[in-house]
Amino acid sequence: MTTTQTDTAWSELRARFQELADLGGTLSLMGWDQSTYLPAGAAAGRSRQVALLSRLRHERATDPTYGHLLDRLEGSADLSPIQARMVAVARKKFEEATRFPTEFVAAWSGHGGESYSAWTAARPANDFRRMVPYLEKSLDFSLQAASYFPEFADPMDYFINESDEGMTAAQVSDVFAALRVALVPMVDAVTGAEAPRTDFLARTYPGSEQLKFGEAVIRDYGYDFTRGRQDLTHHPFMTRLGGHDIRITTRVKENDPSEALYSTLHEAGHAMYEQGVAEELLGTPLGGGASAGVHESQSRLWENLVGRSRAFWAAYFGKFRDTFPEQLADVTEGEMHRAVNMVARSLIRTDADELTYNLHVITRYELERELLAGRLAVRDLADAWHAAYEQNLGMRAPSDVNGALQDVHWYFGSIGGAFQGYTLGNVLSAQFYTAAEAANPGLSGDIERADFSRLHGWLRENVYAHGGRYTPNELVQRATGQAMTVEPYLKYLREKYAELYGVKFS
Amino acid sequence: MTTTQTDTAWSELRARFQELADLGGTLSLMGWDQSTYLPAGAAAGRSRQVALLSRLRHERATDPTYGHLLDRLEGSADLSPIQARMVAVARKKFEEATRFPTEFVAAWSGHGGESYSAWTAARPANDFRRMVPYLEKSLDFSLQAASYFPEFADPMDYFINESDEGMTAAQVSDVFAALRVALVPMVDAVTGAEAPRTDFLARTYPGSEQLKFGEAVIRDYGYDFTRGRQDLTHHPFMTRLGGHDIRITTRVKENDPSEALYSTLHEAGHAMYEQGVAEELLGTPLGGGASAGVHESQSRLWENLVGRSRAFWAAYFGKFRDTFPEQLADVTEGEMHRAVNMVARSLIRTDADELTYNLHVITRYELERELLAGRLAVRDLADAWHAAYEQNLGMRAPSDVNGALQDVHWYFGSIGGAFQGYTLGNVLSAQFYTAAEAANPGLSGDIERADFSRLHGWLRENVYAHGGRYTPNELVQRATGQAMTVEPYLKYLREKYAELYGVKFS
């Protein structure tokens, strides 16, 4: 192609990128409304509208003319490195959207619906055996899906690459192995020590005051309310309705103010990432976060490394007690800090604390790997679950309800890659934070003064602004000077929990 | 076509109807969000998304294959009367969407933007002369638009038919002439009598309590909150996001509780109409109200004929005073009733009361007719405005700001048909109400008990359920047993204001 031809093709491609982004934003609006304000009687009509828009978007995302444009521009010497990266990411998405035969997609999606529906009945009935044929079919579909991408030798690699481009099962397994080895004795030590006081969290905290407090904190963090907003929902989430429309949602428990607060801080972490993507990347395949794992690292960083730190409560306890003077009359700053960091073994992943959460995730990840590798049969999954919990968390669920039937993820028809992102996020949160600290000495002093400008600025410059410009591994290397490593995270956990619980870790 | 061919073509057409309705509902969601919750910084991105969806919808609405389907089915003997009506209405919309050449639409729309932009500067500067060339061009465009529909001899007929199918300028002018003749002396008599007390409306009424009160009233009316909701906005509106998702918006003035209340009652009137459309018509060209005028009749009926009646305040004054005991400590039910029915001459249409409002509308309608007929030159419009106000309302604006520059309607690039619907709605509101009363003796007794079931039931059966099944004239004839007539409205106004102001009308 001549340079002029490249320019013309690029303009056309750029317009198509924008169209896909705008249809995506429209679908996000529909989803946001569904989760916040949609009247109950309107659900069926909305589903039909969403299906229509999804179809229109899919038609454009898989349009052969779009594929030809990508063909023509791929490898063109006239493209800037950013343009070349846009084409590469668009190509990855195009392949993901087009390689499956239409009948395969229809059959898989049909199976997913049936499986989900069966699970909603089987779980309350504690009937894992009823789900075995569904899970077997899900495993077959998943393996077949991976087989359309023969460039991945291990099916798990295919699934990990879907959410964290360029990461591999080998890499993730290494990180998780090191993490488990360190976590199991830490949990033993911490749960053996005296538990913190948490009684005051169960007092009554009016919802509207909770919301105001959380919103004041994330305004301090740097969440931009002129390009976003917070609303109430059942299951909190962050959503991108447009390049400058990044909304979050939360939920309030009147008898546990940590619920709304930490959900708000978590979703604001996701949202500040999206709000920080460079303008030139918006409306392109690079106009969002780098990957699921990197995204989770930003939510976890603001929720846990900042929001559950001693420095955070040094900054906010006074304000929190001013907001709830009666509820906190007999509570100290230190008690507050310890209460929101309580560690306890439990059977339910979504209720787990910062320390034990990863063991829930690692357990599921390893079971997925075994299933996909054919080393574990579906019919043995429930028993394998119990054995793994015994080993990793020292607990055994009394039934499969909180065992292999616990999470919905496997029952939508697909097995593989559903969980590892949560723990990759935790690992990376500490690696990024440690790098930010190294570049900004005295960062926790900033936090004590509720000054987040240096931290937010470093993250914006080194993580947020890049959007999807780099793969997760590239981004981590550039921002922190080293490949993904579990060490900063383990150091953070050891120091924090040794101090909080007065224990020593070997 | 064979019956089977008709069946196949019908199925395809029905699916296209649903798609157009669903894209329309999606656009309504985007508009609703824009007017309620959209963050300020997201406006530009949302406009781009709306433009994309509008284009996708337009492509489908003007798709030649869709036109051919309509061709094939038009006049088919296999269609039921309702199906035939759906095809006829779809054909009307298809013609409206396709007869204008693309370049004409682009030029007209471009001109509309420039005109609006010029108006936003010319109005505060009281510079009507600056708008003359824009209005001349708008008039040319409007006449040219009408010329693409040569089946209408009078351009005004084309514009009226756009919003109230089958009505004509001759018919509307007759109604308006009779109305003006009656209204002018009524306004003279009422404004000559002692004005009611309104001081207490200017006290402070907390917004959240106002909203709760209004929502309790419309729940009594029969507005279904499981298929709708109310949110705050700047300029209240009703919108259909889906067949079972009919939302309303309102605004609150802390120092005038009548603002939120009557806006809520008005929009709920529109919304109950949409909520009452028969299920079988949803997702088709008949799935909304019959016309702009009929729609306005339903909002006015619930706002004015019910909501400003003596019976209404007999039902609700106690509750209203319980809600605002301090503000209303020295106010009687009768004073409340009179205050919300205060009549005063004014220069601003949107601030006008029930009685004088129509004179504002008639003035504009007649000026539009003169302009379109070439009997009035644009350069003389500002003077003609003042003369007409002198004649109809006995007042003269000190400048053109509240004269010919007052309303935005003419400055979007189109002249004709923008106003008459408001007054047609008033006229029809009384005609429908009178018919409902004849069929349900003692209806105002129901209202005194806050029992709206018979009134709502009659309207649902005789108006709402039919959706777009009939033209406005047909619907009025069927529901009330006679053609549109101004008599019930004049009778209602005479009785109401004679009693309220203690005057006699000749």
Side-chain angles (χ1 to χ4, degrees):
Chain A
M1 280 199 291
T2 66
T3 305
T4 315
Q5 284 175 324
T6 303
D7 286 351
T8 310
W10 178 259
S11 300
E12 198 185 326
L13 186 64
R14 188 67 187 72
R16 282 175 178 263
F17 286 163
Q18 187 67 62
E19 243 190 47
L20 288 170
D22 286 339
L23 288 170
T26 304
L27 280 160
S28 295
L29 167 64
M30 298 166 102
W32 171 86
D33 183 68
Q34 246 169 327
S35 306
T36 51
Y37 297 118
L38 190 78
R46 174 58 56 79
S47 296
R48 201 186 50 236
Q49 293 172 335
V50 167
L52 171 61
L53 263 285
S54 301
R55 178 162 63 75
L56 294 180
R57 188 178 189 288
H58 184 73
E59 281 169 13
R60 273 160 183 72
T62 59
D63 179 2
T65 314
Y66 177 50
H68 295 324
L69 261 179
L70 293 173
D71 290 342
R72 285 172 60 198
L73 286 162
E74 229 162 3
S76 160
D78 294 325
L79 296 185
S80 72
I82 288 189
Q83 289 176 320
R85 172 70 182 158
M86 286 178 186
V87 172
V89 173
R91 163 65 63 194
K92 174 176 185 282
K93 293 184 181 181
F94 186 79
E95 294 299 320
E96 285 164 6
T98 55
R99 274 209 212 164
F100 298 145
T102 314
E103 319 77 62
F104 174 74
V105 172
W108 195 8
S109 150
H111 164 66
E114 288 165 24
S115 170
Y116 172 74
S117 169
W119 174 76
T120 59
R123 184 170 188 259
N126 186 33
D127 190 356
F128 177 76
R129 288 181 61 183
R130 179 161 158 202
M131 293 314 298
V132 168
Y134 290 99
L135 284 172
E136 284 172 343
K137 225 170 152 184
S138 298
L139 189 59
D140 286 346
F141 272 115
S142 304
L143 289 167
Q144 201 186 332
S147 76
Y148 290 113
F149 291 81
E151 56 269 45
F152 298 100
D154 181 340
M156 196 69 172
D157 284 348
Y158 160 72
F159 286 109
I160 290 174
N161 185 70
E162 284 277 281
S163 48
D164 285 278
E165 181 194 358
M167 288 196 178
T168 63
Q171 184 189 13
V172 172
S173 296
D174 280 353
V175 167
F176 283 10
L179 196 54
R180 183 177 50 190
V181 165
L183 283 176
V184 170
M186 281 178 72
V187 171
D188 280 344
V190 166
T191 54
E194 196 189 345
R197 182 187 163 197
T198 56
D199 61 300
F200 54 88
L201 289 179
R203 293 169 185 167
T204 301
Y205 297 77
S208 60
E209 295 304 310
Q210 287 193 41
L211 289 173
K212 269 188 227 157
F213 180 82
E215 290 180 4
V217 174
I218 62 173
R219 192 170 273 119
D220 292 345
Y221 272 9
Y223 176 71
D224 180 356
F225 277 93
T226 70
R227 299 187 293 137
R229 49 179 295 113
Q230 177 168 264
D231 297 271
L232 290 173
T233 191
H234 288 295
H235 298 283
F237 59 92
M238 180 278 298
T239 179
R240 159 187 286 274
L241 282 67
H244 297 295
D245 193 356
I246 315 292
R247 304 188 192 182
I248 58 175
T249 56
T250 189
R251 65 177 159 201
V252 170
K253 288 189 184 165
E254 294 241 310
N255 293 303
D256 181 2
S258 71
E259 175 77 25
L261 176 61
Y262 286 104
S263 130
T264 295
L265 303 190
H266 181 97
E267 302 308 335
H270 282 302
M272 290 188 288
Y273 188 0
E274 296 280 323
Q275 288 187 333
V277 174
E279 185 76 29
E280 61 171 331
L281 303 181
L282 300 181
T284 81
L286 311 185
S291 76
V294 177
H295 234 301
E296 192 70 8
S297 78
Q298 297 311 303
S299 57
R300 290 302 195 177
L301 187 154
W302 290 102
E303 175 195 359
N304 289 338
L305 280 93
V306 177
R308 292 187 207 264
S309 69
R310 182 174 295 286
F312 178 91
W313 284 108
Y316 287 103
F317 185 68
K319 190 168 183 177
F320 197 58
R321 198 167 49 188
D322 289 346
T323 310
F324 302 109
E326 287 171 34
Q327 295 88 334
L328 298 170
D330 62 342
V331 180
T332 68
E333 184 185 313
E335 284 174 331
M336 187 74 207
H337 176 223
R338 280 192 290 281
V340 299
N341 284 296
M342 199 192 64
V343 175
R345 294 178 203 274
S346 71
L347 290 165
I348 319 277
R349 175 180 61 84
T350 55
D351 293 346
D353 54 79
E354 189 181 13
L355 206 55
T356 58
Y357 187 83
N358 299 298
L359 293 170
H360 292 267
V361 170
I362 292 171
T363 302
R364 287 155 175 77
Y365 168 81
E366 292 182 343
L367 290 171
E368 280 188 347
R369 268 206 95 176
E370 296 298 296
L371 286 167
L372 284 169
R375 290 189 295 262
L376 173 63
V378 164
R379 66 175 176 281
D380 299 325
L381 174 62
D383 291 337
W385 179 288
H386 294 306
Y389 261 73
E390 194 90 64
Q391 188 194 350
N392 292 335
L393 281 138
M395 291 180 95
R396 197 183 175 86
S399 71
D400 297 325
V401 176
N402 290 331
L405 290 169
Q406 179 176 148
D407 299 295
V408 69
H409 303 56
W410 291 337
Y411 298 98
F412 280 134
S414 172
I415 293 176
F419 292 100
Q420 79 282 339
Y422 298 118
T423 284
L424 291 177
N426 286 333
V427 168
L428 292 175
S429 69
Q431 189 167 345
F432 284 125
Y433 188 83
T434 303
E437 236 177 352
N440 297 281
L443 204 54
S444 75
D446 289 17
I447 297 177
E448 282 173 22
R449 295 186 307 276
D451 175 1
F452 303 97
S453 53
R454 287 200 298 162
L455 176 58
H456 194 170
W458 187 90
L459 290 168
R460 198 166 45 225
E461 189 183 330
N462 292 280
V463 181
Y464 301 173
H466 297 308
R469 174 78 178 83
Y470 305 107
T471 68
N473 281 331
E474 287 167 356
L475 183 73
V476 170
Q477 181 73 45
R478 289 179 62 99
T480 72
Q482 55 182 332
M484 176 166 66
T485 160
V486 78
E487 285 315 318
Y489 186 50
L490 288 178
K491 182 165 182 287
Y492 154 74
L493 291 178
R494 279 195 196 103
E495 289 177 5
K496 174 171 175 174
Y497 287 97
E499 188 209 332
L500 273 165
Y501 278 83
V503 291
K504 278 211 161 187
F505 302 121
S506 48
Chain B
M1 280 199 293
T2 65
T3 305
T4 314
Q5 284 174 324
T6 303
D7 285 351
T8 309
W10 178 258
S11 300
E12 199 185 325
L13 186 64
R14 189 67 188 72
R16 283 175 176 264
F17 286 163
Q18 187 67 61
E19 242 189 47
L20 288 171
D22 285 339
L23 288 170
T26 303
L27 280 160
S28 295
L29 167 65
M30 297 167 103
W32 171 85
D33 184 66
Q34 245 170 327
S35 306
T36 51
Y37 296 117
L38 190 78
R46 174 57 56 80
S47 295
R48 200 185 50 236
Q49 292 172 334
V50 168
L52 170 61
L53 263 285
S54 300
R55 178 162 64 75
L56 294 180
R57 188 178 189 287
H58 184 74
E59 281 170 14
R60 273 162 182 70
T62 59
D63 179 1
T65 314
Y66 177 50
H68 295 324
L69 261 180
L70 294 173
D71 290 341
R72 286 172 60 197
L73 285 162
E74 229 163 3
S76 159
D78 293 324
L79 297 184
S80 72
I82 288 189
Q83 288 175 321
R85 171 70 182 157
M86 287 179 186
V87 171
V89 172
R91 163 65 64 192
K92 174 176 184 284
K93 294 185 179 180
F94 186 79
E95 294 299 319
E96 287 163 5
T98 54
R99 276 210 212 165
F100 298 144
T102 313
E103 319 77 61
F104 174 75
V105 172
W108 196 7
S109 149
H111 165 67
E114 289 166 21
S115 170
Y116 172 75
S117 169
W119 174 76
T120 59
R123 186 170 189 259
N126 187 32
D127 190 355
F128 178 75
R129 287 180 63 183
R130 178 160 160 204
M131 294 312 298
V132 167
Y134 291 99
L135 284 172
E136 284 172 343
K137 225 169 152 185
S138 298
L139 190 58
D140 286 345
F141 273 116
S142 303
L143 289 167
Q144 201 185 332
S147 77
Y148 290 112
F149 292 81
E151 56 268 45
F152 299 100
D154 181 341
M156 196 69 173
D157 285 347
Y158 160 72
F159 286 109
I160 290 174
N161 185 71
E162 283 277 283
S163 48
D164 286 277
E165 182 193 359
M167 289 196 177
T168 63
Q171 184 189 15
V172 172
S173 297
D174 281 353
V175 167
F176 283 10
L179 196 53
R180 184 179 48 191
V181 165
L183 282 176
V184 170
M186 281 178 73
V187 170
D188 281 345
V190 167
T191 55
E194 194 189 345
R197 180 186 166 200
T198 57
D199 61 300
F200 55 87
L201 288 179
R203 293 169 184 167
T204 302
Y205 298 76
S208 60
E209 295 304 310
Q210 287 192 42
L211 289 173
K212 269 189 226 157
F213 180 81
E215 290 180 3
V217 174
I218 62 174
R219 191 169 274 119
D220 291 347
Y221 272 9
Y223 176 72
D224 180 356
F225 277 93
T226 70
R227 299 187 293 137
R229 48 179 294 113
Q230 177 168 265
D231 298 88
L232 290 172
T233 192
H234 289 294
H235 298 282
F237 59 91
M238 179 280 299
T239 179
R240 159 189 287 274
L241 282 69
H244 297 296
D245 191 357
I246 315 292
R247 304 188 192 183
I248 60 175
T249 56
T250 190
R251 65 178 160 202
V252 171
K253 288 190 184 164
E254 294 241 312
N255 295 302
D256 181 2
S258 72
E259 175 76 25
L261 176 61
Y262 287 105
S263 130
T264 296
L265 304 190
H266 181 97
E267 301 308 334
H270 283 302
M272 289 188 290
Y273 189 0
E274 295 281 323
Q275 288 187 333
V277 173
E279 185 76 28
E280 62 171 331
L281 303 181
L282 299 181
T284 81
L286 311 185
S291 77
V294 176
H295 233 301
E296 193 70 8
S297 78
Q298 296 312 302
S299 57
R300 291 302 195 175
L301 187 152
W302 290 103
E303 175 194 359
N304 289 338
L305 282 91
V306 177
R308 293 188 206 265
S309 69
R310 181 174 297 285
F312 177 90
W313 284 109
Y316 287 103
F317 184 68
K319 189 168 184 176
F320 197 56
R321 198 166 49 187
D322 289 346
T323 310
F324 302 110
E326 286 172 32
Q327 296 89 333
L328 298 170
D330 62 342
V331 180
T332 67
E333 183 184 314
E335 285 173 332
M336 186 74 207
H337 177 222
R338 281 192 290 281
V340 299
N341 285 295
M342 201 194 59
V343 175
R345 293 178 205 275
S346 71
L347 291 165
I348 320 277
R349 176 181 60 86
T350 54
D351 294 346
D353 55 78
E354 188 181 16
L355 206 54
T356 58
Y357 187 84
N358 300 299
L359 294 170
H360 293 267
V361 170
I362 292 170
T363 302
R364 288 155 175 77
Y365 168 81
E366 291 182 344
L367 290 170
E368 280 188 348
R369 267 207 96 177
E370 296 299 293
L371 287 167
L372 285 169
R375 290 187 296 263
L376 172 64
V378 164
R379 65 177 177 281
D380 299 326
L381 174 62
D383 290 338
W385 179 289
H386 294 305
Y389 261 73
E390 195 89 65
Q391 188 195 350
N392 291 335
L393 281 137
M395 291 180 96
R396 196 180 176 89
S399 71
D400 297 325
V401 177
N402 290 332
L405 290 170
Q406 179 177 146
D407 299 295
V408 68
H409 303 56
W410 290 337
Y411 298 98
F412 280 132
S414 172
I415 293 176
F419 293 100
Q420 78 283 339
Y422 299 118
T423 285
L424 291 176
N426 286 334
V427 168
L428 292 176
S429 70
Q431 188 167 346
F432 284 125
Y433 188 83
T434 303
E437 234 176 353
N440 297 280
L443 204 53
S444 74
D446 289 16
I447 297 178
E448 283 173 22
R449 294 186 307 275
D451 175 1
F452 303 97
S453 54
R454 286 199 300 162
L455 175 58
H456 194 170
W458 187 90
L459 290 167
R460 197 165 45 224
E461 190 182 329
N462 292 281
V463 180
Y464 302 173
H466 297 307
R469 173 77 178 83
Y470 305 106
T471 67
N473 282 331
E474 288 168 356
L475 183 73
V476 170
Q477 182 72 45
R478 289 179 61 99
T480 72
Q482 55 182 330
M484 176 165 67
T485 161
V486 78
E487 285 315 317
Y489 185 50
L490 287 178
K491 183 166 182 288
Y492 153 73
L493 291 177
R494 281 194 194 102
E495 288 177 5
K496 172 172 176 174
Y497 287 97
E499 188 208 333
L500 273 165
Y501 279 82
V503 293
K504 277 211 160 183
F505 303 120
S506 50

